[in-house]
C-alpha cells in the first residue's frame, strides 16, 4: 500500500509524536514500508536580525541544535518496534511546512502522517503546521489527533 511514510515530529511534543507514530507504524507494518522521522528547527536568521547576535554564536547554536535534535531522533528510533533498516530520520532548519513538503519530495514519500492538536481560536487565526501541510501537499496526508 505505502512504500515510504514521512512522520514530521516535534521533539518537544511527545503526545503528538506518539499518536502520529502509532498510526504510521500500523500502516507501515501492513506493507513493510519505510518510515522517515523528520524534525524542523525554526530558522535562526530571525534571531540574528532581531537580537543582532554575532555570527559565530549563531553558528554554534545551529550546530548544537542540529546535533541535539539528531540525537533525540536516534533515541526515538531505538524505541520503535520495527526493523531498524526501515527507519531513518533527518533534521533541517526552516519553516516546518516547507521543510516537511520538500523532505517528502526528496525521500519519495507517498504518505505524510502528522499529529495535530484540536483546533482553537489561535489555530484558526494563525494557521498550524498540520493545516499548512495538508493545504500544500502533493501526496496524501493523515492528520492524527
Amino acid at each position: 500500500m505505502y512504500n515510504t511514510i514521512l512522520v514530521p515530529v516535534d521533539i518537544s511534543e511527545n503526545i503528538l509524536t506518539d499518536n502520529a507514530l502509532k498510526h504510521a507504524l500500523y500502516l507501515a507494518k501492513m506493507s513493510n514500508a519505510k518510515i522517515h522521522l523528520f524534525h524542523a528547527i525554526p530558522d535562526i536568521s530571525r534571531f540574528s536580525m532581531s537580537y543582532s547576535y554575532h555570527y559565530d554564536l549563531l553558528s554554534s547554536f545551529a550546530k548544537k541544535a542540529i546535533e541535539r535534535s539528531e540525537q533525540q531522533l536516534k533515541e526515538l528510533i531505538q524505541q520503535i518496534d520495527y526493523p531498524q533498516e526501515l527507519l531513518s530520520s533527518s533534521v533541517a532548519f526552516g519553516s516546518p511546512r516547507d521543510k516537511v513538503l520538500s523532505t517528502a519530495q526528496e525521500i519519495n514519500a507517498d504518505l505524510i502522517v502528522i499529529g495535530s492538536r484540536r483546533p482553537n481560536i489561535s489555530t484558526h487565526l494563525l494557521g498550524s503546521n498540520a493545516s499548512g501541510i495538508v493545504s500544500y501537499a502533493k501526496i496524501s496526508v493523515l492528520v492524527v489527533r
Side-chain angles (χ1 to χ4, degrees):
M1 182 178 226
Y2 297 109
N3 294 316
T4 304
I5 301 171
L6 174 61
V7 184
V9 298
D10 183 341
I11 293 172
S12 64
E13 293 280 352
N14 292 337
I15 293 172
L16 294 180
T17 298
D18 290 346
N19 289 342
L21 195 51
K22 284 177 192 173
H23 281 76
L25 276 168
Y26 177 79
L27 294 170
K29 287 179 179 179
M30 284 196 270
S31 56
N32 205 35
K34 297 176 190 170
I35 297 177
H36 185 87
L37 303 180
F38 174 77
H39 177 68
I41 301 170
D43 187 4
I44 62 168
S45 64
R46 288 187 241 160
F47 298 117
S48 65
M49 293 172 67
S50 300
Y51 300 104
S52 300
Y53 283 128
H54 191 269
Y55 176 78
D56 291 338
L57 179 62
L58 285 175
S59 181
S60 173
F61 168 77
K63 183 179 177 185
K64 287 180 183 176
I66 288 175
E67 288 173 358
R68 184 165 190 251
S69 296
E70 287 173 342
Q71 181 58 38
Q72 289 175 310
L73 286 179
K74 284 180 187 176
E75 290 170 5
L76 180 59
I77 284 175
Q78 290 173 351
Q79 297 172 11
I80 298 172
D81 181 26
Y82 198 64
Q84 295 294 298
E85 63 273 7
L86 296 176
L87 298 170
S88 61
S89 65
S90 63
V91 175
F93 274 103
S95 155
R97 181 196 72 195
D98 296 342
K99 292 300 180 178
V100 165
L101 296 174
S102 64
T103 299
Q105 213 169 16
E106 290 168 15
I107 66 169
N108 293 319
D110 40 17
L111 176 67
I112 299 170
V113 178
I114 187 167
S116 180
R117 292 182 196 84
R118 294 197 182 279
N120 61 29
I121 190 67
S122 66
T123 306
H124 289 293
L125 293 175
L126 302 173
S128 71
N129 291 325
S131 67
I133 290 167
V134 168
S135 296
Y136 292 96
K138 295 178 182 175
I139 60 173
S140 296
V141 179
L142 172 62
V143 179
V144 178
R145 293 208 169 120

